[in-house]
Amino acid sequence: MSIHAPGNKTLALLDFELVSLEEGKQVDWRSDDFEAVAVIIEGACSISSEGKTWELRRRSVFDEAASAVFVSPGVLLAIHANERTTLALCKARADKKFPTAFISPENVSTEWRGNEGYRRRVFNIVNKETQTQRIAVGETINEPGQWSSFPPHKHDRREEKSGKVVEAALEEIYYFRIKPETGFGFQRVYTKDGSCDESYVIRDGDVTRIPGGCHPVANMPGHQLYYLWMLAGDERVYVWNTDPEFLWMEQTGKS
C-alpha cells in the first residue's frame, strides 16, 4: 500500500490503517488520541467492545454494503478473524466520548450521484446520524469509464454567506480498490492559486491524503473503481465548494 501526500503536507486530524488477519487470528486495538470507525473490506470477523460482540462479513467492496463499528478514544476493540479478513480503521483525533455504535449493511444509505460521464454510487456509513466528534466515513464506486468527486470541489477553509456555512475546513483520505485489480485510475489534486497541482496514477490498494484543494477521480473503462473516504474537521459540518469553472456541470449534487 502506497501513501501519497498531495502538496507534501501532513494531516493534523485524520489517520488510516489496514488490519489484515489470517483465519483464527486476533488483535486488540485501542487509541487514546483517536476516535475510529472499523470498516470491513473483505472476509468475516467478530468485533467485541464494552461487553458486546458484532459479526461483520463481506465478500468484497464491490459485492456488498459495509458493516462497521464506531468507538471513541480509549475504547478497546477486540478483533477476531473467522476467515482471512481485511479491516480498515478510519481515525480522527478526538477527546470526547460518544456511545460505541454498530452500523449494519441495512443502515448504510445508498444513492446514485452525477450524470453521464461522472455517474457513481455513494454509500454513507457514518454521517450525522451516528454520534461522533469529527469523523464521517463512506464509500464511492465509480462505474467503468466514469469520474467522481466531480464536478471538482474543495473543502479546505471555512466560509460563511449570510450567516450560513457554505464551505467547511475538512481533511480527507481515500483508500482505493479496483476491479479487476490490474486496472488503474487517476486523481488530480489542485488549488486555484496554483500552489498545488499534482496528478497520481491510482492502483488497487493505494491511499491518498488530501489536506486541501480540488480532488477529482477518473476511472478507466472496463473496470470498477472503489474508494473508502473519511472526512474530519474542527466542526461537524460537511459542506464544500465546487470549482467555479465547473459550476455549470453541477446538476445532481457533489461527492
Side-chain angles (χ1 to χ4, degrees), residues 120-133:
R120 69 274 194 184
R121 282 178 290 165
V122 177
F123 303 83
N124 296 297
I125 299 171
V126 170
N127 50 29
K128 287 189 175 181
E129 294 180 359
T130 304
Q131 288 184 296
T132 72
Q133 184 175 341

Side-chain angles (χ1 to χ4, degrees), residues 23-34:
E23 182 177 352
K25 297 296 184 179
Q26 179 168 320
V27 65
D28 292 339
W29 185 91
R30 174 170 52 203
S31 173
D32 294 328
D33 301 318
F34 293 92

Side-chain angles (χ1 to χ4, degrees), residues 42-218:
E42 57 195 3
C45 68
S46 60
I47 296 181
S48 300
S49 183
E50 300 181 314
K52 296 182 179 179
T53 299
W54 302 278
E55 301 296 328
L56 288 72
R57 178 179 294 275
R58 197 178 197 185
R59 291 191 300 275
S60 83
V61 296
F62 298 101
D63 296 319
E64 296 178 299
S67 49
V69 176
F70 164 80
V71 290
S72 291
V75 177
L76 178 69
L77 287 178
I79 305 165
H80 180 272
N82 302 319
E83 59 185 59
R84 187 175 182 179
T85 296
T86 299
L87 198 72
L89 289 171
C90 310
K91 305 182 292 181
R93 293 195 178 275
D95 54 18
K96 296 180 181 179
K97 300 283 189 178
F98 294 95
T100 297
F102 173 66
I103 300 95
S104 69
E106 293 75 24
N107 293 130
V108 175
S109 63
T110 305
E111 58 182 311
W112 283 95
R113 292 186 187 177
N115 289 292
E116 184 178 356
Y118 52 106
R119 188 77 165 149
R120 69 274 194 184
R121 282 178 290 165
V122 177
F123 303 83
N124 296 297
I125 299 171
V126 170
N127 50 29
K128 287 189 175 181
E129 294 180 359
T130 304
Q131 288 184 296
T132 72
Q133 184 175 341
R134 288 192 172 96
I135 199 164
V137 176
E139 299 173 321
T140 296
I141 296 180
N142 286 25
E143 294 300 294
Q146 301 289 300
W147 290 61
S148 63
S149 290
F150 196 90
H153 68 266
K154 71 181 188 73
H155 37 72
D156 53 19
R157 65 171 184 155
R158 193 180 195 279
E159 183 180 349
E160 287 190 19
K161 289 183 180 179
S162 302
K164 181 181 179 181
V165 179
V166 295
E167 180 179 346
L170 300 167
E171 299 175 349
E172 191 162 22
I173 292 177
Y174 284 1
Y175 164 63
F176 292 91
R177 299 297 299 267
I178 298 175
K179 181 182 179 182
E181 62 184 23
T182 51
F184 59 88
F186 295 96
Q187 183 171 41
R188 181 188 179 199
V189 181
Y190 68 94
T191 57
K192 297 299 288 182
D193 64 6
S195 60
C196 176
D197 195 345
E198 303 182 14
S199 297
Y200 302 101
V201 177
I202 299 300
R203 301 190 186 277
D204 185 66
D206 277 353
V207 172
T208 56
R209 296 171 180 258
I210 306 166
C214 298
H215 41 276
V217 174

